[in-house]
Amino acid sequence: MPGYRMMYYTLCAGVSAVLDDMQERGEFPGVYYRLEALFQEAENIYIETADVIRLEDRLPADEPNEG
């Protein structure tokens, strides 16, 4: 399975840094607010779904995770 969690962290950290730079300079306010809204939407989706694990994907407590 692809590293979606790592992709999320990488993308959000990058977007957050760009938003910080944009806010300090005050450039492109329309773009800033659009990126901020998308960032918040992605974060909300992540929070709502991050802890969801299908029962069939769970390993028994005594079986090591090899992936």
Side-chain angles (χ1 to χ4, degrees):
M1 174 178 237
Y4 291 113
R5 187 172 292 210
M6 183 57 73
M7 288 188 305
Y8 168 81
Y9 290 149
T10 301
L11 180 62
C12 287
V15 170
S16 180
V18 170
L19 288 172
D20 289 345
D21 289 346
M22 289 176 77
Q23 187 175 23
E24 288 175 12
R25 294 185 186 127
E27 297 175 327
F28 310 108
V31 174
Y32 174 86
Y33 291 117
R34 286 171 53 200
L35 279 173
E36 185 179 47
L38 289 168
F39 181 75
Q40 187 63 51
E41 183 179 354
E43 188 173 74
N44 290 341
I45 292 168
Y46 181 81
I47 289 169
E48 291 170 5
T49 60
D51 295 328
V52 176
I53 299 174
R54 297 179 333 164
L55 291 178
E56 53 269 33
D57 291 341
R58 298 188 106 183
L59 295 173
D62 57 349
E63 189 176 326
N65 183 355
E66 296 179 2

